Amino acid sequence: MAITETARLRLLEPPVGKLRVVLDTDTYNEIDDQFALVQMLLSKERFDVEAIYAAPFFNERSDSPGHGMELSYQEILRLLERLNVSPDGLVHRGVTDYVGPRKEAREAPAVDDMIARARAGSPDKPLYVVAIGAVSNVASALLKAPDIMDRVVVVWLGGHALEWPHTIEFNLKQDVGGAQVLFDSGVPLVLVPCKGVTSHLHSTVPEIERYVEPHGSIGAFLAMRFKDHASDHLGWSKEIWDMVPVGWLLNPVWAPSVIIPAPIVTEQMTWSTDRRRHAIRYVTYVDRNPILRDFFLKLKAFAAQNA
């Protein structure tokens, strides 16, 4: 189903009010998905979190994309347990393989749930799909159900800044075909690039030890994940990339953006430009301070309420 440019631009306006959201996450791959998930669930004033989907990943931390998805599913459960949130009806396993160059929709409970929730919405009350891993689940849903195009907004952390010499970034390079589906479909898309944009959102061990670790079992867990990422913390800081899509939805001022023609994802994993293409929203900068401040305050308040 096609969507008009007018309707697309309306859906790409910075959102107001309480939002329907789902989170698509390769949670076990790194340390940043965990922070993003916790901030989203602690932002009840802004988000109605309807579902969390485990996304596939494949690197030295997994044996296959499907194994990565299962590891992410289990990591989501560990986080929810520490947040006193039941996973029943909330967490869904994602696809076990990438959409790939043949652009084949993959089957999974997460894909079907995403489609059902999108269809339950409307252009006036869209479903915000916050995707912070390979977009295989999202691309599968778009391929299976193009009719959801006018009632979803995808906010994806993927690729590097448009001026970067390449876009060989983990989320994108895992499923180039899935990324091509996303950019070519015409779905309302907010692109949150990695190097050059979200790479501004860093934290350090002293900051995490002061503002995260003391706050309950969830704070201790997040601090452990953060510190375990490197063995040498001298002069070290770590990007927490995946917090930025959540930060943009919380307050678009924290991550300024512009409307641009959708770039083309080439087979060589570079950006190409055709100014005749449909519009997307593109985040150009990240103010890390208010995003982390919001997270620290909500984490502290949650721990105090559950002490």
Side-chain angles (χ1 to χ4, degrees):
M1 175 179 289
I3 178 174
T4 67
E5 191 72 351
T6 299
R8 184 183 296 108
L9 288 169
R10 190 184 313 113
L11 284 164
L12 287 174
E13 291 176 3
V16 296
K18 195 164 186 178
L19 309 178
R20 301 174 59 228
V21 297
V22 295
L23 182 66
D24 188 60
T25 163
D26 59 345
T27 327
Y28 193 73
N29 166 52
E30 239 233 49
I31 64 97
D32 48 349
D33 295 74
Q34 293 89 329
F35 283 75
L37 186 153
V38 172
Q39 187 169 25
M40 178 177 279
L41 286 173
L42 294 184
S43 300
K44 292 181 171 55
E45 79 292 345
R46 178 63 159 167
F47 299 134
D48 180 7
V49 181
E50 295 189 3
I52 303 169
Y53 308 132
F57 75 90
F58 182 33
N59 58 14
E60 68 281 355
R61 292 175 64 85
S62 66
D63 298 332
S64 67
H67 182 228
M69 183 280 295
E70 183 61 30
L71 290 170
S72 294
Y73 181 85
Q74 298 301 327
E75 182 81 344
I76 293 166
L77 299 185
R78 284 188 283 271
L79 291 165
L80 295 187
E81 181 181 3
R82 289 165 173 81
L83 289 168
N84 303 320
V85 174
S86 171
D88 296 341
L90 179 67
V91 187
H92 304 273
R93 287 180 169 88
V95 300
T96 58
D97 201 358
Y98 303 128
V99 167
R102 296 177 65 178
K103 300 179 175 58
E104 294 177 330
R106 305 295 183 176
E107 298 293 331
V111 174
D112 292 338
D113 187 83
M114 189 186 306
I115 291 169
R117 292 184 187 280
R119 285 175 172 163
S122 69
D124 295 323
K125 195 70 173 174
L127 182 70
Y128 284 85
V129 180
V130 182
I132 52 178
V135 288
S136 310
N137 288 330
V138 180
S140 293
L142 292 172
L143 289 167
K144 281 189 70 175
D147 60 284
I148 68 175
M149 200 82 65
D150 64 345
R151 57 195 71 189
V152 296
V153 179
V154 180
V155 185
W156 184 49
L157 180 114
H160 295 318
L162 295 180
E163 67 274 13
W164 216 255
H166 61 79
T167 193
I168 305 172
E169 176 276 326
F170 187 71
N171 290 349
L172 189 149
K173 73 179 182 181
Q174 289 186 95
D175 194 355
V176 176
Q180 290 170 334
V181 168
L182 181 69
F183 282 89
D184 295 344
S185 67
V187 71
L189 171 65
V190 181
L191 174 60
V192 186
C194 293
K195 287 184 179 177
V197 179
T198 60
S199 49
H200 289 294
L201 201 155
H202 283 245
S203 191
T204 63
V205 168
E207 185 174 48
I208 294 297
E209 286 182 335
R210 180 167 182 178
Y211 296 113
V212 175
E213 192 165 17
H215 300 311
S217 62
I218 186 61
F221 183 81
L222 293 173
M224 176 192 70
R225 285 283 187 252
F226 186 92
K227 291 192 282 189
D228 285 352
H229 193 75
S231 57
D232 183 359
H233 297 151
L234 181 63
W236 180 75
S237 68
K238 173 73 184 77
E239 305 93 346
I240 318 181
W241 326 81
D242 289 339
M243 296 183 78
V244 180
V246 176
W248 182 80
L249 281 173
L250 282 171
N251 189 338
V253 172
W254 297 347
S257 60
V258 294
I259 296 292
I260 64 167
I264 299 167
V265 181
T266 70
E267 298 296 335
Q268 295 75 34
M269 286 179 279
T270 59
W271 297 121
S272 186
T273 301
D274 181 346
R275 294 191 175 276
R276 297 168 296 179
R277 279 170 58 91
H278 62 276
I280 68 166
R281 184 169 288 279
Y282 174 72
V283 172
T284 59
Y285 174 75
V286 172
D287 188 351
R288 59 87 72 186
N289 294 352
I291 294 175
L292 285 177
R293 178 182 174 85
D294 175 86
F295 176 71
F296 295 155
L297 289 173
K298 286 172 178 170
L299 186 66
K300 181 180 180 180
F302 172 79
Q305 291 167 5
N306 291 271

